[in-house]
Amino acid sequence: MSKEKIADHEKNNELTEKKDTAEIKTEKKTKNKFLFYTARTVRGISFFVILGILLTVINYALHPKNNKKEFGMKDQNAHAFYAEPENTIDTLIIGNSEAYSSFSPLEMWHEYGITSYVSAQGAIIMSEAYYILKEALKTQDPKIVIFETDALFPHKSDQTLRDRTISNVIENEISLLKYHDTWKIQKPANFFSPIEYKWKSYSRGQMDDPKIEAYGSNFMDISEGKDEEYKDGKINFWILKYLDKFVDLCKENNISVIFVTIPNTLTTSRLNSQAVKDYCSGKSITYLDFSEHPEYINIDWTTDTRDGGVHMNTYGAKKVSDFLGQYITDNYDIPDRRKDEKLAKRWDSDYRRYSNRIQKMEKEMLEENDMP
Amino acid sequence: MTYISYLYFFGFVAVVYPLYLVCPKKQKWMVLFAGSCLFSIILDGFLAVCLLVTSLAAFFCGKLLTKLQEGFNTAKKDLSKDEKKQLKAKVTKKKKAVVASGTIISLSSLVVLKYTGFFEGIFNSVSGIFGGIQLPLITFALPLGISYYTLQAIGYIVDTYRGKYKAETNFAKLVLFISFFPQITEGPIGRYDKLMPQLVEGHKYTNENFTGGATLIFWGLFKKLVISDRASYMVAEVFDNYTKYGGVIVFTATILYTIQLYTDFSGCIDVMSGTARMFGIKLESNFRQPFFSKSVGEFWRRWHITLGTWFKDYVFYPVSLSAPVMNLSKASTKHMSKFMAGVVPSAFALFVVWLGTGLWHGASMKYVMYGLYYFIIMLIGTLLEPVFVKLSSKLRIDRKGKIMSFLAVVRTLILVNIGMTMFRADSLEECGAIVSRCFVNININDIVYGTIFSLGTDKHDFLAILIGVLIMLIVAVMKEKGTDVLSGVANGKIYIKWPVMMGLIIAVFVFGAYGPGYGFVENIYAQF
């Protein structure tokens, strides 16, 4: 081989070697890059897994261990259905303060043997109502859901309703966000105690107040309340969205829905009632509008309200419940639960407590009135 | 939509951020543009209209100014010295007219919406003295962020006038600069030359940006939700009913308000800066450990920095170099001592700055006095400086020594606390009453028997605030000494980064004042 050829050969070899080294380097680089990204992904996932585990443990520690306010439960009256024996509530009543003032489950029990529960909270918005229903369906199998419609027209701006709905939905889906502040009231010793929702509302969610603060002078027809705003018959987007979900959830569970409008001196509105009527007719929902048909319940505004016509007292609630009890008995296939001895014992004892309490308060009120 | 809301994080950032990451580099700015427009519209439809007007004014004025300058630069090449001078004067005159009209148009919506009632009030007071007519008071709902983006737009117009940079040729990009969503409602007030290149650069995802941004967001949430909002409940109760409470409670409330304001404002800025950082954009710093300041002047160089520098660049310098102040300066040099000749013209310019700063915060005499309060303190400080120098040299006091520095910090804290009380009180009289109330009915039983814990901020809240403030103090001391703990954590080793980040996230989730039972506390500086 000539010197030139040898040189060429060596050069070629050198080039091939160089090429090989470059390829190895690229290969190594690709491998390194792959390893780098894999390691980074694994690291990222590990971070969120560990954080998730920690937050789950903290979530349990901070979750109320009983369904009472003292344990951190929000709106305990609306959530005392947890303590009822499973599948014993046949009628669930949901709404805002109009609902917890206007319906008396114990009266409906006493007169008609209907087991009902008022799961209501003041100034409720529709997503809250939806989550209450969803929660109740975990332990109860109601045949009827009664919804008081004042909650469809909250006195809040569209923006507030949007923000409140979003917060409410997220906080219901991630319970730590709802109960995170129980560190203020829970004893560290209870952090890992079992969760036992035992607290029972003897009135089944009703605010049983016999106080009388009259409005007007007789059986007045309140077809239009005093408030000027939020009476244009418009249902807010977010309210409507969760109202649809609420109704759909009832339908999925074969629950009959009854919408009820209780009249009051502030928010009662013909336009709002018409909007509810339109909604109900579109969805084939029964609608009982007592503001349009006050004769159904014969409310005497001199005796049946506890705060000058805004909310019913126990006398007003009794009238509403009497009508509804009869209506349900006549139109729905609901069993008379008084035949169930065990259940009857529980409900009768609470009815006695309820009527004794009212009698005691009536006596106190009479004594107060007799005072010089 | 407010920054501290689920909607902002889960409904807005969670959509815009992934879109930004997947978008091609050259189009990434469009995601920010669309996001910012959407954010402004969700925030307030009227704000979007005002923004558009200001953006149009800034865009066309900027373009015209650059055109005039470039026309002059081309024409001057063939001109003699005198002709050049003549043309320059002519062009400058035109440029001045453009910058003035641009500033007036940008300011008009702010002035009309924010100050109509205030000026009517002044008119009615003067007119009342002479038995003249009384105007019906008109107040408008102020669109969020108007006080911030207006200054940003004016800064841009003035800078193009000064030839600091060429005007933006793409209208959408200028709109993005003026309305960039993380800074629209509370600042920091950005500068075009620093912010614009970052906005259009199109950043890739990096771990550093994501971790650094997220750390800053949670740090801001910690300040706002754990400290500020918990303090706000007692502050509201005591400031609204101060006559009901004794010195211990009122004094505590004034301190709590200073803490609330700082953690609310700086916390929100941190959340915003953190959001921007995730997109690879670094916003201007708005705070630099302000409570370590040794004088009120230093405090304002460390507090709301972007507002201070804006006033320095666009009010202080133009006023100082204006003909009347230059004449004043000449007259002072002629008739006064060297010291006073230096003080008088700058005092005049500073007076305008502080009057403007006060008015920027709100359209009322309270805010005017708030600005002038700091002006007077600084003026007194400047005038007495020679006396202090003499006194300390005679008494052989080392003014830069540790003890004197500490005392200077305490003195500044007291003065700032009074300023903050003025800021929170409804009027100047009320501020006086609250400050004097701090020294009346001092009863330690307010703490012993727990009255202080029954005013909306309970003992658990106080504990959370105390621990929160201590953590902030440690971070601030370290930053003052040159160690940025937050950056250190974000870029540090895993065994430091993970526990600290997880601790921060858990602290926000568990100890934050949010959710059922907690009222929403609006960001204080978003209301200006």
Side-chain angles (χ1 to χ4, degrees):
Chain A
M1 213 185 274
S2 69
K3 269 185 184 175
E4 277 173 0
K5 272 187 181 174
I6 291 169
D8 269 357
H9 185 71
E10 275 175 2
K11 208 179 173 184
N12 277 341
N13 272 353
E14 233 172 72
L15 278 173
T16 323
E17 262 173 36
K18 264 187 187 172
K19 210 177 164 187
D20 286 349
T21 326
E23 265 171 21
I24 290 166
K25 266 187 184 171
T26 321
E27 208 174 287
K28 258 189 180 173
K29 216 176 168 184
T30 319
K31 215 174 169 184
N32 283 345
K33 216 175 176 184
F34 174 74
L35 280 175
F36 171 76
Y37 282 116
T38 312
R40 202 162 81 169
T41 312
V42 169
R43 244 192 351 245
I45 292 170
S46 313
F47 177 86
F48 286 107
V49 168
I50 296 171
L51 183 64
I53 293 169
L54 285 173
L55 288 174
T56 310
V57 173
I58 292 168
N59 181 34
Y60 186 87
L62 296 178
H63 203 87
K65 303 300 179 297
N66 198 344
N67 56 333
K68 277 195 87 175
K69 196 175 146 194
E70 290 79 0
F71 287 80
M73 179 57 76
K74 314 285 178 195
D75 295 296
Q76 61 172 8
N77 276 318
H79 293 94
F81 54 75
Y82 288 121
E84 297 300 320
E86 277 190 23
N87 302 328
T88 57
I89 302 291
D90 290 329
T91 303
L92 192 66
I93 302 160
I94 296 178
N96 62 14
S97 57
E98 290 297 333
Y100 66 59
S101 306
S102 311
F103 302 96
S104 172
L106 290 169
E107 293 288 358
M108 284 210 273
W109 162 260
H110 187 65
E111 297 297 328
Y112 302 96
I114 296 171
T115 50
S116 62
Y117 190 92
V118 188
S119 213
Q121 62 191 56
I124 200 171
I125 59 167
M126 208 54 226
S127 60
E128 288 164 337
Y130 168 75
Y131 279 103
I132 285 179
L133 174 64
K134 209 174 163 186
E135 200 57 29
L137 292 182
K138 286 181 183 169
T139 53
Q140 298 297 333
D141 180 24
K143 313 291 176 297
I144 300 171
V145 163
I146 295 175
F147 177 68
E148 205 293 318
T149 64
D150 194 47
L152 295 180
F153 306 97
H155 281 37
K156 286 176 181 69
S157 69
D158 287 346
Q159 195 181 325
T160 308
L161 286 173
R162 178 197 69 195
D163 293 345
R164 257 192 76 181
T165 304
I166 293 170
S167 304
N168 180 250
V169 171
I170 293 174
E171 282 154 12
N172 272 293
E173 295 295 342
I174 307 168
S175 75
L176 174 65
L177 303 181
K178 190 173 178 180
Y179 295 115
H180 67 93
D181 67 337
T182 60
W183 58 271
K184 280 185 171 187
I185 44 177
Q186 280 210 62
K187 286 176 190 151
N190 286 342
F191 280 165
F192 297 103
S193 315
I195 296 169
E196 289 173 316
Y197 288 165
K198 285 181 178 169
W199 183 75
K200 182 183 79 172
S201 158
Y202 79 90
S203 68
R204 304 301 190 275
Q206 183 201 357
M207 181 194 259
D208 49 341
D209 189 351
K211 192 180 123 194
I212 298 171
E213 193 188 314
Y215 170 75
S217 53
N218 52 25
F219 291 83
M220 293 170 72
D221 169 17
I222 299 175
S223 55
E224 204 62 43
K226 283 181 265 183
D227 279 356
E228 286 175 5
E229 284 184 299
Y230 304 102
K231 286 172 66 184
D232 52 5
K234 280 184 191 153
I235 303 177
N236 167 276
F237 169 82
W238 296 94
I239 297 287
L240 195 59
K241 190 174 167 59
Y242 275 87
L243 178 65
D244 286 343
K245 282 174 84 85
F246 182 89
V247 172
D248 290 347
L249 187 60
C250 289
K251 283 189 178 163
E252 277 165 29
N253 288 278
N254 297 320
I255 300 168
S256 305
V257 188
I258 306 174
F259 277 23
V260 174
T261 297
I262 302 289
N264 73 69
T265 53
L266 293 181
T267 59
T268 295
S269 145
R270 296 276 39 88
L271 285 175
N272 288 358
S273 282
Q274 187 57 47
V276 177
K277 207 175 191 174
D278 294 344
Y279 182 85
C280 289
S281 60
K283 299 249 176 190
S284 309
I285 295 168
T286 307
Y287 180 35
L288 301 171
D289 182 1
F290 296 134
S291 69
E292 197 182 351
H293 297 287
E295 71 278 9
Y296 289 173
I297 47 173
N298 286 323
I299 292 298
D300 180 348
W301 293 99
T302 62
T303 56
D304 298 340
T305 167
R306 65 177 155 90
D307 51 10
V310 183
H311 297 100
M312 303 276 172
N313 55 19
T314 45
Y315 310 111
K318 186 175 183 329
K319 287 181 179 178
V320 173
S321 306
D322 276 346
F323 178 88
L324 274 173
Q326 190 63 56
Y327 185 85
I328 290 170
T329 311
D330 292 347
N331 295 285
Y332 296 86
D333 185 20
I334 295 287
D336 183 344
R337 294 273 198 168
R338 284 175 295 193
K339 290 166 192 159
D340 180 338
E341 273 182 35
K342 207 176 160 192
L343 205 62
K345 202 177 160 193
R346 182 183 167 93
W347 279 76
D348 284 341
S349 122
D350 287 329
Y351 179 76
R352 279 194 298 278
R353 187 175 163 191
Y354 160 82
S355 45
N356 288 342
R357 184 174 174 271
I358 291 174
Q359 277 171 18
K360 195 182 159 200
M361 285 176 80
E362 281 171 344
K363 207 176 153 193
E364 281 169 10
M365 284 191 295
L366 276 175
E367 280 169 7
E368 263 177 41
N369 290 340
D370 286 347
M371 277 170 79
Chain B
M1 175 170 38
T2 56
Y3 293 132
I4 316 293
S5 67
Y6 293 124
L7 183 59
Y8 175 72
F9 290 110
F10 300 126
F12 187 78
V13 177
V15 175
V16 179
Y17 185 56
L19 277 177
Y20 182 81
L21 293 181
V22 297
C23 209
K25 186 177 165 70
K26 280 191 173 174
Q27 278 77 41
K28 279 185 193 288
W29 70 271
M30 290 182 192
V31 176
L32 295 180
F33 167 73
S36 298
C37 289
L38 182 70
F39 189 81
S40 302
I41 293 165
I42 298 175
L43 212 56
D44 184 353
F46 186 49
L47 163 71
V49 176
C50 295
L51 246 170
L52 190 68
V53 173
T54 305
S55 304
L56 281 168
F59 181 69
F60 286 111
C61 289
K63 263 190 118 173
L64 204 56
L65 287 164
T66 302
K67 201 178 160 190
L68 283 168
Q69 187 59 47
E70 281 175 349
F72 170 71
N73 290 346
T74 324
K76 76 176 179 184
K77 286 172 192 163
D78 308 319
L79 298 176
S80 67
K81 207 177 175 184
D82 280 349
E83 284 172 330
K84 230 188 263 178
K85 216 175 174 182
Q86 270 180 357
L87 185 66
K88 195 181 177 184
K90 212 174 151 188
V91 169
T92 309
K93 206 177 168 188
K94 275 186 187 170
K95 279 173 70 182
K96 274 187 178 167
V98 174
V99 80
S101 19
T103 309
I104 289 167
I105 297 170
S106 303
L107 267 179
S108 58
S109 49
L110 177 68
V111 171
V112 170
L113 297 172
K114 194 168 177 175
Y115 301 104
T116 304
F118 175 64
F119 290 125
E120 275 183 329
I122 294 174
F123 175 85
N124 285 349
S125 307
V126 176
S127 172
I129 297 169
F130 302 104
I133 54 157
Q134 294 289 298
L135 300 171
L137 282 183
I138 305 167
T139 47
F140 298 96
L142 204 61
L144 284 174
I146 192 167
S147 306
Y148 296 91
Y149 75 75
T150 304
L151 298 196
Q152 204 157 296
I154 292 172
Y156 166 78
I157 297 171
V158 175
D159 282 349
T160 24
Y161 163 79
R162 287 174 181 167
K164 194 174 173 189
Y165 39 74
K166 280 185 186 174
E168 176 59 59
T169 50
N170 185 327
F171 180 62
K173 285 183 180 172
L174 189 71
V175 172
L176 168 61
F177 161 68
I178 294 175
S179 67
F180 184 42
F181 69 86
Q183 57 181 130
I184 183 83
T185 67
E186 282 199 45
I189 301 157
R191 300 295 176 93
Y192 176 84
D193 51 337
K194 286 186 182 163
L195 187 59
M196 200 66 214
Q198 297 189 71
L199 291 175
V200 293
E201 196 184 324
H203 303 89
K204 273 198 299 188
Y205 171 88
T206 67
N207 250 2
E208 290 69 33
N209 281 341
F210 182 78
T211 326
T215 311
L216 211 48
I217 287 175
F218 276 98
W219 179 240
L221 288 173
F222 177 80
K223 284 181 184 174
K224 165 79 178 144
L225 295 176
V226 180
I227 305 171
S228 180
D229 288 1
R230 289 193 185 280
S232 72
Y233 306 115
M234 179 180 165
V235 168
E237 168 59 27
V238 177
F239 272 77
D240 292 347
N241 307 290
Y242 62 92
T243 48
K244 272 164 62 182
Y245 304 109
V248 173
I249 288 176
V250 177
F251 177 70
T252 310
T254 63
I255 303 265
L256 272 188
Y257 180 65
T258 302
I259 293 170
Q260 183 202 342
L261 185 64
Y262 175 62
T263 46
D264 179 291
F265 192 16
S266 74
C268 190
I269 291 286
D270 286 342
V271 171
M272 295 308 97
S273 303
T275 313
R277 176 81 63 84
M278 284 171 69
F279 289 87
I281 294 157
K282 220 176 158 198
L283 297 183
E284 298 276 314
S285 297
N286 229 13
F287 296 95
R288 208 177 58 249
Q289 298 80 257
F291 296 107
F292 293 152
S293 307
K294 294 185 191 75
S295 70
V296 165
E298 189 189 349
F299 174 81
W300 276 95
R301 286 191 296 278
R302 288 163 169 258
W303 169 278
H304 206 175
I305 298 169
T306 53
L307 182 73
T309 50
W310 191 93
F311 269 97
K312 189 176 82 181
D313 291 348
Y314 304 109
V315 178
F316 181 76
Y317 289 143
V319 172
S320 301
L321 298 172
S322 66
V325 177
M326 293 302 271
N327 291 339
L328 181 70
S329 179
K330 277 178 201 162
S332 316
T333 318
K334 212 170 174 184
H335 301 292
M336 292 176 183
S337 67
K338 201 180 164 188
F339 174 71
M340 285 308 284
V343 171
V344 171
S346 73
F348 181 78
L350 279 173
F351 173 78
V352 178
V353 165
W354 286 104
L355 187 67
T357 307
L359 271 174
W360 178 87
H361 282 91
S364 75
M365 281 314 283
K366 179 189 92 173
Y367 289 115
V368 171
M369 294 315 292
Y370 172 71
L372 295 183
Y373 165 76
Y374 284 109
F375 167 72
I376 291 166
I377 291 174
M378 284 183 217
L379 189 65
I380 292 171
T382 312
L383 290 173
L384 293 181
E385 182 61 16
V387 182
F388 289 140
V389 171
K390 266 187 193 171
L391 207 65
S392 51
S393 82
K394 271 194 178 174
L395 296 171
R396 290 184 186 167
I397 295 169
D398 177 11
R399 290 180 75 200
K400 286 184 179 166
K402 275 187 180 169
I403 295 171
M404 288 311 286
S405 296
F406 175 74
L407 289 176
V409 169
V410 174
R411 176 198 60 191
T412 310
L413 277 177
I414 294 168
L415 292 171
V416 166
N417 207 50
I418 295 171
M420 296 299 188
T421 306
M422 195 184 288
F423 195 70
R424 176 63 174 77
D426 285 338
S427 64
L428 215 55
E429 296 79 46
E430 195 178 288
C431 168
I434 290 171
V435 172
S436 54
R437 193 81 199 162
C438 292
F439 304 98
V440 181
N441 287 346
I442 295 170
N443 191 348
I444 204 71
N445 284 342
D446 284 342
I447 296 174
V448 177
Y449 293 118
T451 317
I452 200 166
F453 304 125
S454 64
L455 308 172
T457 301
D458 62 26
K459 57 183 173 188
H460 296 96
D461 295 323
F462 265 97
L463 188 66
I465 292 169
L466 192 70
I467 295 171
V469 169
L470 272 174
I471 294 171
M472 269 174 52
L473 192 67
I474 294 166
V475 172
V477 168
M478 289 180 77
K479 199 162 184 193
E480 197 68 4
K481 290 187 172 172
T483 311
D484 188 345
V485 178
L486 293 181
S487 301
V489 166
N491 304 316
K493 296 274 181 217
I494 211 165
Y495 53 85
I496 295 173
K497 185 159 92 176
W498 283 24
V500 174
M501 281 195 71
M502 285 182 193
L504 196 57
I505 294 169
I506 289 169
V508 169
F509 277 133
V510 175
F511 301 111
Y514 68 92
Y518 291 98
F520 170 69
V521 185
E522 209 167 329
N523 291 113
I524 298 167
Y525 263 78
Q527 296 158 38
F528 297 131

